[in-house]
Amino acid sequence: MSRSEIPYDRTPPFSISYTHERETGKRPVIHHYHNGFEFDFFVKADLDIFVKDTKYTIRDGDFFFINEYEIHRIFYHPNRAYARYVINFSKDFIRSMLRESGLEEVLEWMVTQGPRKVETKPEQRSKVIALFDSLVKSYERNRQTGDPLAQAKVKLHLLLLLIQFKELAQVQPPPAAYNPHIKELIRYIDDHYMNPITLEQLQQEFQLSKYYISHLFKETTHFTVFEYILNRRIVEAKKLLEHTELPIIQVAMSCGFNNLQHFYRIFQRHVQLTPLQYRKSLR
């Protein structure tokens, strides 16, 4: 797999893990995306995460939320202590509990409005860590015994953590401004990936030199502009193959591939399956 090809993780309806290392060492940059939400709590950390159009500096006590299908990259700083909880969950896993408790808007707010990163004060962390520890214990018990009470506790603790995230987010100051050019460039690509996009077109649209655009994009995202466009199109094609019955040629055209043979070649190179094989693998 080349550096420009981004791994795709198909995650289970719910999973949680805890990682603890005395130091991170010289870890490579990790980049991927998945079909569920990711919800992290960093007990110890000194790293950066790039998601969509922004780089976030992560420190001890930070919550972090990543939406479905969002490409994210983690940049580790060597020789730093590292400990975090990672939750992956689908909307369907907790949908019924959110609806029955009248809290569907909590997750919707996190997806559409809330900040990705929420900082905690030292005195708040023991409560958060206790919730995560209880969640881990309930999850392991449910996996080992199939105890329905443990399954209910998993959902309850997850709901409490989502509520905690929102409550903390609403009282923290707004994040510092980030490079507006990157935000605008990525927003433009996200809105127009189904159409041809060239550097000359971006230069005219944003009144910036195409050389500056190329340098800024690569320096900030570690992708070339065309690598990002291509990966964006592959992500959208996967969504359509998974959630619709559109013919393969219509999927290709809807995602900016104007040649079916080219779509098959690029898709298979990135996914190691043809579009049809990928669709069948989801059934």
Side-chain angles (χ1 to χ4, degrees), residues 56 64-65 109-110 113-118 165 169-170 172 175:
Y56 301 85
F64 202 75
F65 179 77
W109 177 85
M110 290 174 67
Q113 301 177 48
R116 296 187 190 279
K117 186 180 87 165
V118 169
F165 180 93
Q170 289 177 321
Q172 78 170 14

Side-chain angles (χ1 to χ4, degrees), residues 143-283:
R143 287 209 324 163
Q144 294 166 10
T145 68
D147 180 1
L149 181 58
Q151 169 79 340
K153 286 183 177 179
V154 168
K155 293 185 178 182
L156 176 61
H157 290 311
L158 175 57
L159 180 57
L160 290 172
L161 284 167
L162 297 179
I163 292 170
Q164 183 79 72
F165 180 93
K166 184 178 181 184
E167 288 179 344
L168 291 169
Q170 289 177 321
V171 297
Q172 78 170 14
Y178 195 65
N179 189 312
H181 291 151
I182 284 294
K183 283 184 173 291
E184 290 165 4
L185 283 164
I186 289 181
R187 187 178 297 116
Y188 182 88
I189 293 170
D190 286 349
D191 289 342
H192 297 86
Y193 65 86
M194 68 294 296
N195 302 316
I197 299 175
T198 65
L199 281 173
E200 288 73 19
Q201 182 181 341
L202 294 175
Q203 177 175 265
Q204 183 175 357
E205 178 73 24
F206 293 99
Q207 296 299 298
L208 297 170
S209 159
K210 64 182 181 180
Y211 304 106
Y212 174 74
I213 290 173
S214 295
H215 174 74
L216 177 65
F217 206 94
K218 180 70 172 178
E219 182 181 53
T220 308
T221 70
H222 293 256
F223 288 113
T224 68
V225 171
F226 296 111
E227 285 170 351
Y228 182 83
I229 293 170
L230 189 58
N231 278 287
R232 190 75 177 82
R233 288 171 174 165
I234 292 293
V235 168
E236 294 304 319
K238 285 179 174 179
K239 288 183 187 179
L240 291 177
L241 290 168
E242 183 172 353
H243 299 296
T244 77
E245 297 297 331
L246 289 174
I248 302 297
I249 189 169
Q250 194 169 342
V251 171
M253 298 302 173
S254 298
C255 296
F257 296 94
N258 56 11
N259 180 295
L260 188 59
Q261 185 178 1
H262 177 63
F263 174 56
Y264 262 81
R265 185 173 65 252
I266 295 299
F267 192 93
Q268 190 163 15
R269 191 182 77 194
H270 279 70
V271 187
Q272 285 75 56
L273 295 170
T274 68
L276 184 58
Q277 288 170 337
Y278 178 78
R279 173 174 272 169
K280 288 180 176 179
S281 75
L282 300 171
R283 300 298 186 258

Side-chain angles (χ1 to χ4, degrees), residues 5 38 48 67 69 72 74 85 97 103 108 120 122 153 155 184 192 205 215 283:
E5 295 166 13
E38 181 173 319
D48 296 312
N67 203 358
Y69 295 101
H72 46 284
I74 303 177
Y85 296 89
M97 179 167 279
L103 293 173
E108 184 64 22
T120 63
K153 286 183 177 179
K155 293 185 178 182
E184 290 165 4
H192 297 86
E205 178 73 24
H215 174 74
R283 300 298 186 258

Side-chain angles (χ1 to χ4, degrees), residues 30-56:
I30 294 178
H31 59 285
H32 68 162
Y33 63 101
H34 31 70
N35 61 333
F37 302 111
E38 181 173 319
F39 193 36
D40 304 325
F41 183 74
F42 294 87
V43 182
K44 286 283 184 182
D46 182 5
L47 51 88
D48 296 312
I49 302 179
F50 187 91
V51 185
K52 196 173 176 65
D53 57 12
T54 305
K55 183 167 70 174
Y56 301 85

